[in-house]
Amino acid sequence: MDILVQQLINGLVLGSVYALVALGYTMVYGILELINFAHGEVTMFGAMIALAVISALMGAGVDLPGVVIALLGLLTAIPACMLLGYGIERLAYRPLRNAPRLAPLITAIGVSIVLQNIAMLIWGRQYISFPPILPQGHHNLLGARITDVQILILITSVVLMIALTLLVKRTQLGRAMRATAQSPQLAGLMGVNANHVISLTFIIGSGIAAVAGVLVSAYYGLAHYYMGFLLGLKAFSAAVLGGIGNLAGAMLGGLLLGVIESLGAGYIGDITGGFLGSNYQDVFAFFVLIVVLIVRPSGLLGQASHDRA
Amino acid sequence: MPTTFRLSLLTALIGATLLTGCSKSGTDDNIVKIGSASPLTGPQAHLGKDNENGARLAVDEINAAGLTLDGKKVQIDLIAEDDQADPKAATTVAQKLVDEGIVGVIGHLNSGATIPASKIYFDAGIPQISPSATAIAYTASGFNTAYRVMTNDKQQGSALAEYAISQLGAKRIAIVDDRTAYGQGLADEFERAAKAAGADVVAREYTTDKSTDFMAILTSIKSHDPQVVFFAGMDPQAAPMIKQMKQLGVNAQFLGGDGMQTPKFIDLAGADAEGAIASNPGLPLAKMPGGEAFKQKFNARFGEIQNYSPYAYDAVYVMVEAMKRAKSSDPVKYLAELPKTDYQGVTGHIRFDSKGDLTGGAVTLYQVKAGQWQPLQTINSK
């Protein structure tokens, strides 16, 4: 029993990180119908920039509590990634706004590779360690263990998801985003500046990605230039699973994917008597994705193509 | 059109090969070319350069002392090539070295590069001594040209299993490997030896060489309550794994192979690294019979030793000793002398078994104590 609880905790923590990154994919897709494949790399930059700040502060012998140092790293990473997200949209996607769909997709992959290489040039190919500055305690939950960092990840994710939902549903900007998603032309006629809305979508998504990147590297204790790739791919799958373009879908998809991955990797060996093993951990996510797309092509919460974002 | 182009390119290449082949007989008889193949670019460049430097030190010493084969004074020329730690590049480099007329090769560094290259040296009848490839498959192909001066994964896996069972008293063992040629091979050898010694393998889990999340498999492992968790893979996976073990409260000894016996492992795992045990083939430098002297010579010329350069150094001497006994640098003649090798090198006593593997090589176990890898004990393999 406690093993099942433990696997669920593992899955929910992993899934909430996927969900955070998936939000960025789904927001951009909702507005532009573009899959921003560079989004995983924005996550990676968030982790790297925060780590650079943290190690600079620690190297300078700044005498502050670890949580404050981590927070300073995070508060540098968020605006830096927002700027990066804005820059990517401005330089790589906006000039191709009216080009055939394939062009921005290819650019997105190109941007992703360019960002990886820039990160490699700046920070090297080595894995960088995340210093143990966050609380390292753990608590008992129904016979399983939950660590302080895991609690931090869960709380941060839930808060961000609620904040983003409120932003989209309750504010003027949210209304403009929903209007642009429905029809950029019509929204323009109603006085919405589509370019502003699109820029802001990228900026908000990238800010959330920065938080996700910092949380991931704090969780695993390391970061490196390639970490955004698989994370981005899984988060993209989560967005599609939930119904790309749908915020609640991205959250649901992310959580589901994390739980399925944990339960799959944890139990497949025992269930199949060792015929299939935990080396299929990364496969479960994509297997579930294929099944959902066959049965329900628009994803779990997706609707044909209306009411996006 | 492209076919004609390719055809002409092929003809040109064949022509070039024939020409170099011809020119071999025309070169100066007093020059003996030996190849050195290792990654000189990319993430493992520091290790590759280290191997080249080890070989170069030996070559220069031999040249300075003067080498006479069958009454003729000869000079050794070391030709270093970059295999990028890549199997495809390794075969290209091997062919290039063969075409350049080398009579022997020291290399390659990685098992993944050494194995495909060994076929090319075998086809050309050129002896190959790897200073650092540990995969069993390298000497298992039955090539009479393949030798190594380091213990293989079988010896390392057996030594680790023996230690886990006799010293740690482990009855229940969990094994995780990263599904690479290295991880899989080492884990299989460890499992075989552990089972043979009477231990129970309660869980066999897998991951990849890019994963950082092991919570699911470690939770599953925890349910089997092992005394030892053995990981066969590299440091970027070993470090988060031991961290996550501590997070989940898995109270088992963490044990690994040479892939995690690195300073990077301690850097990444931080305080959680404390108490981890890992092996490395060979003796610690300080315990090698000629370790101290080698270190001084090497440091004076190339700076710090990375890892395998003493083995590359010995490999050159083993090769040249065989030439001396054969009174010839002709590969056919001195290859017959290699199995009779009985050489006291800086890394230890070097003799080969019928496959070309080092006999009686040592495996040393290290434990992280106070943030440093400290030698625990050295196990002599059979």
Side-chain angles (χ1 to χ4, degrees):
Chain A
M1 181 59 196
D2 52 342
I3 295 297
L4 179 65
V5 176
Q6 187 70 62
Q7 293 291 22
L8 286 174
I9 294 173
N10 300 344
L12 285 175
V13 173
L14 195 62
S16 59
V17 175
Y18 290 162
L20 283 185
V21 185
L23 288 173
Y25 279 98
T26 226
M27 280 166 71
V28 167
Y29 186 85
I31 293 219
L32 284 181
E33 301 207 344
L34 160 77
I35 294 161
N36 176 16
F37 274 117
H39 193 61
E41 273 61 48
V42 176
T43 312
M44 174 267 294
F45 262 87
M48 292 302 221
I49 291 167
L51 264 175
V53 172
I54 290 168
S55 51
L57 286 173
M58 292 180 72
V62 175
D63 190 25
L64 286 169
V67 182
V68 179
I69 293 183
L71 205 59
L72 286 174
L74 183 66
L75 291 178
T76 321
I78 293 173
C81 283
M82 286 178 159
L83 200 65
L84 182 66
Y86 172 75
I88 292 171
E89 193 272 324
R90 198 76 183 73
L91 295 173
Y93 301 145
R94 193 175 293 183
L96 296 170
R97 186 84 41 87
N98 297 315
R101 283 271 194 87
L102 198 57
L105 187 74
I106 294 167
T107 319
I109 295 170
V111 171
S112 150
I113 295 170
V114 167
L115 289 178
Q116 271 180 31
N117 282 279
I118 292 175
M120 192 179 79
L121 288 173
I122 301 176
W123 292 289
R125 290 161 185 265
Q126 289 278 20
Y127 281 73
I128 304 166
S129 67
F130 193 101
I133 52 176
L134 292 172
Q136 301 290 314
H138 60 82
H139 311 273
N140 216 322
L141 188 77
L142 300 170
R145 273 189 181 206
I146 184 160
T147 62
D148 288 341
V149 176
Q150 286 179 319
I151 295 173
L152 186 75
I153 292 174
L154 286 172
I155 292 176
T156 314
S157 310
V158 171
V159 168
L160 278 177
M161 287 182 214
I162 293 173
L164 188 69
T165 311
L166 289 178
L167 177 89
V168 172
K169 299 274 182 215
R170 297 282 164 84
T171 64
Q172 196 73 24
L173 171 65
R175 188 185 297 173
M177 283 167 78
R178 281 178 289 149
T180 312
Q182 293 235 333
S183 164
Q185 287 81 17
L186 273 180
L189 290 176
M190 295 297 142
V192 174
N193 185 336
N195 276 339
H196 274 182
V197 172
I198 290 166
S199 289
L200 278 168
T201 306
F202 271 88
I203 288 170
I204 295 167
S206 302
I208 297 174
V211 179
V214 176
L215 290 176
V216 166
S217 60
Y219 187 30
Y220 299 127
L222 44 77
H224 84 306
Y225 79 97
Y226 199 66
M227 66 184 275
F229 180 72
L230 197 60
L231 183 64
L233 212 56
K234 292 253 182 83
F236 166 65
S237 311
V240 175
L241 177 62
I244 192 152
N246 184 307
L247 284 186
M251 299 175 203
L252 179 70
L255 292 176
L256 263 181
L257 210 62
V259 171
I260 291 168
E261 199 181 303
S262 283
L263 293 181
Y267 288 105
I268 187 108
D270 294 343
I271 290 171
T272 62
F275 176 64
L276 293 174
S278 47
N279 42 338
Y280 290 96
Q281 178 166 3
D282 293 336
V283 178
F284 298 121
F286 301 113
F287 179 71
V288 170
L289 181 70
I290 291 167
V291 171
V292 169
L293 287 183
I294 290 171
V295 180
R296 200 180 150 80
S298 52
L300 293 174
L301 299 185
Q303 289 158 19
S305 77
H306 306 294
D307 197 18
R308 295 183 307 255
Chain B
M1 188 50 192
T3 332
T4 349
F5 174 70
R6 237 181 270 162
L7 210 63
S8 53
L9 192 71
L10 199 69
T11 326
L13 274 176
I14 293 169
T17 319
L18 286 178
L19 272 179
T20 30
C22 295
S23 67
K24 199 158 72 175
S25 54
T27 49
D28 193 347
D29 277 349
N30 297 333
I31 298 286
V32 171
K33 290 181 186 168
I34 293 179
S36 161
S38 55
L40 301 177
T41 55
Q44 298 181 24
H46 59 297
L47 294 172
K49 194 71 192 166
D50 187 53
N51 276 16
E52 184 199 325
N53 288 341
R56 194 165 296 284
L57 188 64
V59 164
D60 290 354
E61 277 177 18
I62 293 165
N63 281 339
L67 176 64
T68 313
L69 296 177
D70 202 19
K72 218 185 306 172
K73 223 171 144 41
V74 296
Q75 190 79 7
I76 301 174
D77 189 7
L78 188 76
I79 303 172
E81 290 287 349
D82 176 16
D83 70 15
Q84 300 166 30
D86 173 55
K88 282 202 293 292
T91 51
T92 315
V93 159
Q95 192 57 53
K96 189 169 174 226
L97 285 170
V98 169
D99 292 347
E100 280 188 47
I102 55 155
V103 298
V105 67
I106 309 298
H108 299 211
L109 173 79
N110 311 76
S111 296
T114 308
I115 295 164
S118 65
K119 171 90 168 68
I120 293 168
Y121 300 121
F122 170 69
D123 288 344
I126 290 170
Q128 171 187 16
I129 305 180
S130 173
S132 51
T134 57
I136 297 168
Y138 168 49
T139 48
S141 319
F143 297 156
N144 65 342
T145 47
Y147 289 86
R148 71 176 122 217
V149 287
M150 175 167 281
T151 39
N152 64 21
D153 283 342
K154 185 172 188 164
Q155 293 161 319
Q156 192 179 186
S158 306
L160 279 162
E162 187 192 312
Y163 184 83
I165 289 149
S166 65
Q167 299 295 310
L168 302 172
K171 293 264 185 307
R172 306 168 60 76
I173 295 175
I175 300 174
V176 187
D177 79 66
D178 68 359
R179 297 277 94 183
T180 61
Y182 161 71
Q184 210 166 327
L186 183 60
D188 287 346
E189 288 308 326
F190 178 82
E191 182 173 10
R192 189 192 48 73
K195 279 183 175 160
D200 200 4
V201 176
V202 294
R204 179 83 203 250
E205 299 285 346
Y206 312 96
T207 182
T208 74
D209 60 347
K210 293 182 182 64
S211 301
T212 45
D213 184 273
F214 311 108
M215 296 295 274
I217 61 172
L218 288 173
T219 302
S220 172
I221 282 174
K222 191 185 177 184
S223 70
H224 296 289
D225 190 31
Q227 292 151 314
V228 165
V229 173
F230 176 74
F231 174 61
M234 306 303 285
D235 46 4
Q237 277 67 50
M241 194 175 289
I242 196 170
K243 277 179 109 85
Q244 288 165 37
M245 270 175 66
K246 298 271 156 85
Q247 279 174 24
L248 286 168
V250 180
N251 297 315
Q253 172 65 49
F254 193 59
L255 186 67
D258 53 326
M260 68 174 250
Q261 205 270 314
T262 65
K264 195 75 196 165
F265 169 74
I266 299 173
D267 171 38
L268 290 175
D272 289 334
E274 208 61 23
I277 297 176
S279 63
N280 213 339
L283 296 161
L285 191 68
K287 290 262 177 66
M288 286 178 188
E292 202 46 51
F294 177 81
K295 191 178 165 195
Q296 278 173 14
K297 280 190 282 189
F298 193 91
N299 287 355
R301 193 156 157 211
F302 301 111
E304 220 187 330
I305 295 168
Q306 297 297 332
N307 203 351
Y308 306 120
S309 49
Y311 295 91
Y313 177 86
D314 275 357
V316 172
Y317 272 101
V318 164
M319 193 173 272
V320 171
E321 289 296 318
M323 289 177 192
K324 281 186 189 165
R325 288 196 301 277
K327 297 192 173 66
S328 167
S329 63
D330 182 350
V332 181
K333 290 184 185 147
Y334 88 85
L335 181 59
E337 290 292 330
L338 271 177
K340 298 173 206 157
T341 295
D342 189 341
Y343 178 72
Q344 191 64 45
V346 300
T347 61
H349 196 172
I350 297 170
R351 277 162 303 167
F352 298 117
D353 68 8
S354 57
K355 284 181 178 159
D357 276 325
L358 184 67
T359 54
V363 175
T364 305
L365 285 145
Y366 301 79
Q367 184 167 34
V368 181
K369 287 178 188 157
Q372 292 284 330
W373 284 110
Q374 308 281 359
L376 273 182
Q377 75 172 83
T378 296
I379 298 172
N380 286 311
S381 61
K382 283 130 229 161

